[in-house]
Amino acid sequence: MGFTDCLPQLSTQFGERFRLPSKFTRDLTWGLIIGVTFSLSSTSVALLFEDWRRKRNIARIPPRPIEIRSDEIVDGVIGLIGNTPLIRINSLSNALGVDILGKAEYLNPGGSVKDRVALKIIEDAETQGLLHPHTGSVLFEGTVGSTGISLATVGRAKGYECCIIMPDDVAIEKVQVLEKLGAKVERVRPASIVDEKQNLARKRALEFGNTTLVDPPKTNPEIAVSTQAQPSEVGHETNSSESFVPVITLPEILRPALETKPRGFFADQFENESNFHAHYKGTGPEILRQTSGNLDAFVSGAGTGGTIAGTGVFLKKSLPNLKIVLSDPEGSGLYNKVKYNVMFDPKESEGKKRRHQVDTVVEGIGINRITQNFSLGLDIIDDAYRISDAEAVAMSRYLVSHDGLYLGSSSACNLVACVRLAKTLSKGSRIATILCDSGSRHQSKFWSDDYLRTNNIPIDTSIIDTLLNS
């Protein structure tokens, strides 16, 4: 008898041995089988739908500019901004079993992520008719350094001068770079946000010209632009509600003469939404494309708030399950705002701050107010980590030793937050973050062992070993 001839007999024997005792039991069993099958089918359909939506979103992203050019020659310094590599941080990724990916923004021509912001602010102002290149116009901004360097770099390339107001306790090499780029630097004592020095850049922009220009249909009420043209040359009417602010009603025949006069322009990186859009239209799409949508979290610090808000909002729109996480240094109130919806830091009550603004050796991130740019992304931030100076310093030294990466203080903060976040994710997950600038801008403070010892900040890479192994 062949095997096929035995099948009916085996089937009968199997049925008799495993026959269910009652109709109720049979119905229940079949119900469970059908339910499990339906559940698995639904899960498969959901996964297929999610994959289809991810691929559709990626397909909508324009290709990298290099892919649509006939050659690989970029148009001057401006052509180098953006499309920075996304690199795997091998030492951290291997130790954690989670890929930690850094957007190498320090490779921008001005050396930081702020090149994107400077370019977008200037181009938007030109589009609105607020700036005209090669007219002797001056860009004014208050900054701890990186935005100023980017404005000076992009400004030079596009035909503008630059005047930077900055605290006198920032790393001196930032001042030196600005001066080499031809920018005028005015250093002031660090001040709280309520101090008038915080608005000194805006004041200088208005003092630059004889006439303040405001064009309500195109700009927000905080805009500050002045021209060295005389009021009679502007030919304005008076705004009845604000008699001191002229509104342009210039005949077309006179407008070219006005446009050739030098202007003072306040970049206003904290409140100018061009900052947000630089990342919403640039950094976010680049990260989505570089990861093919295979991403579980995005980590960033916040100073002006444009990076985490712009990048986060774009990524969250394409990847709804993505976690957006804030990396915040000591003394900043943003951590508590995200975690507890209270804008307060305990050190504010102690009176022991090293700086008026944020009590940290970290420069570029951390603040004690909600900017317009940060507010645009506040609702999509899922979590926050507070990073100590000791952790940031330890991470910077660890990366040099293990990966050959020489990074600045805010980049180190971001990577400490990535490690903490990775501990909460499953193996094989992916986290992207921003490598804001290199350590070369921080040699006299964050990278100075003498400075750190003087300020009682330990230099101990075992902090990272412990964090990775905990």
Side-chain angles (χ1 to χ4, degrees), residues 57-289:
N57 288 332
I58 294 172
R60 290 177 176 176
I61 304 172
R64 294 175 64 233
I66 199 171
E67 295 174 348
I68 60 175
R69 291 196 301 264
S70 59
D71 54 43
E72 296 187 13
I73 300 173
V74 300
D75 187 15
V77 166
I78 303 304
L80 294 171
I81 297 175
N83 288 307
T84 54
L86 191 64
I87 63 174
R88 182 177 186 268
I89 312 298
N90 289 330
S91 66
L92 304 180
S93 301
N94 293 340
L96 295 163
V98 172
D99 281 344
I100 296 181
L101 313 174
K103 188 80 164 131
E105 290 298 293
Y106 57 86
L107 295 179
N108 280 305
S112 82
V113 65
K114 294 298 185 180
D115 281 12
R116 298 176 184 269
V117 177
L119 179 61
K120 185 63 173 169
I121 286 176
I122 293 172
E123 288 186 339
D124 284 354
E126 289 175 337
T127 299
Q128 295 169 0
L130 300 174
L131 278 176
H132 304 283
H134 306 292
T135 57
S137 295
V138 179
L139 311 172
F140 292 85
E141 182 60 297
T143 170
V144 295
S146 289
T147 304
I149 292 171
S150 294
L151 283 170
T153 300
V154 178
R156 277 294 182 189
K158 291 181 70 67
Y160 300 100
E161 303 293 328
C162 199
C163 178
I164 301 300
I165 313 297
M166 63 192 309
D168 60 8
D169 65 344
V170 301
I172 188 62
E173 48 269 26
K174 295 182 181 181
V175 178
Q176 295 168 341
V177 171
L178 280 166
E179 291 176 342
K180 292 298 188 293
L181 287 167
K184 177 184 177 182
V185 180
E186 185 174 348
R187 306 187 74 187
V188 298
R189 287 299 304 159
S192 67
I193 192 59
V194 297
D195 193 292
E196 63 178 8
K197 291 188 180 69
Q198 286 289 338
N199 295 315
L200 189 57
R202 187 177 194 276
K203 180 181 179 183
R204 292 286 186 264
L206 293 175
E207 291 174 344
F208 178 81
N210 305 303
T211 308
T212 301
L213 301 179
V214 176
D215 197 352
K218 298 178 182 177
T219 62
N220 64 63
E222 299 300 319
I223 199 71
V225 187
S226 67
T227 174
Q228 290 187 353
Q230 297 297 325
S232 59
E233 296 178 277
V234 174
H236 66 269
E237 293 178 356
T238 299
N239 185 319
S240 59
S241 62
E242 293 181 312
S243 59
F244 65 96
V245 179
V247 178
I248 301 174
T249 57
L250 195 65
E252 289 301 318
I253 194 171
L254 297 178
R255 189 172 293 275
L258 170 64
E259 292 175 354
T260 61
K261 298 286 185 177
R263 293 186 177 184
F265 176 79
F266 176 42
D268 198 12
Q269 59 170 327
F270 290 88
E271 310 302 326
N272 191 329
E273 292 183 17
S274 295
N275 183 345
F276 171 91
H277 290 293
H279 297 290
Y280 183 84
K281 296 179 179 179
T283 316
E286 288 174 27
I287 291 175
L288 184 66
R289 180 173 58 240

Side-chain angles (χ1 to χ4, degrees), residues 24-91:
F24 173 77
T25 305
R26 288 197 301 273
D27 291 345
L28 178 62
T29 302
W30 282 112
L32 289 171
I33 293 172
I34 294 171
V36 170
T37 303
F38 180 77
S39 177
L40 291 174
S41 299
S42 299
T43 302
S44 299
V45 170
L47 290 173
L48 287 171
F49 176 74
E50 183 66 26
D51 185 60
W52 171 80
R53 184 167 63 174
R54 177 177 61 81
K55 290 179 179 178
R56 184 193 62 177
N57 288 332
I58 294 172
R60 290 177 176 176
I61 304 172
R64 294 175 64 233
I66 199 171
E67 295 174 348
I68 60 175
R69 291 196 301 264
S70 59
D71 54 43
E72 296 187 13
I73 300 173
V74 300
D75 187 15
V77 166
I78 303 304
L80 294 171
I81 297 175
N83 288 307
T84 54
L86 191 64
I87 63 174
R88 182 177 186 268
I89 312 298
N90 289 330
S91 66

